[in-house]
Amino acid sequence: MALNFTEDLDAFFDTPGFTVPVVQGSTTSVGYFESPNEIIADGVVLTTDYAVVVKTSDFSTVSRGDAMTVEGVAYTVREQMLLDDGKIMRVMLMKD
């Protein structure tokens, strides 16, 4: 017996207060912004890895070097990684 399940990604990304506006080229949508700090080099350097989790269908053409604006701040795409079944992805960013 097959179990059919249709996920509604719009419900996942429709969470005001948690999602932020994301713009890349002519595409405007929302995503979950991440900016964790990490101490590296034996505790000498504090670094921040910027990323945004978005629907792959909204940003399927994003690639390394593209400009992306997250919550009004300009970033450059470092890398994109599909998550789980590939319907969402994490876009790794560097601050301009």
Side-chain angles (χ1 to χ4, degrees):
M1 179 171 111
L3 179 63
N4 291 328
F5 176 77
T6 303
E7 57 200 8
D8 181 7
L9 291 178
D10 290 332
F12 179 70
F13 284 94
D14 184 23
T15 51
F18 292 97
T19 56
V20 296
V22 180
V23 179
Q24 188 260 328
S26 62
T27 303
T28 300
S29 190
V30 295
Y32 292 91
F33 183 64
E34 305 170 339
S35 60
N37 291 322
E38 183 178 358
I39 299 173
I40 60 173
D42 284 334
V44 177
V45 178
L46 178 66
T47 185
T48 304
D49 268 338
Y50 300 103
V52 64
V53 176
V54 296
K55 287 192 294 185
T56 302
S57 60
D58 289 346
F59 295 97
S60 60
T61 62
V62 71
S63 61
R64 181 184 300 257
D66 285 354
M68 183 174 270
T69 303
V70 179
E71 204 169 18
V73 178
Y75 295 91
T76 300
V77 174
R78 284 183 15 222
E79 181 178 353
Q80 66 276 13
M81 301 180 303
L82 297 178
L83 302 175
D84 300 325
D85 63 0
K87 293 183 180 178
I88 60 174
M89 71 176 166
R90 177 174 284 116
V91 180
M92 304 301 293
L93 305 166
M94 63 182 164
K95 207 167 195 182
D96 290 346

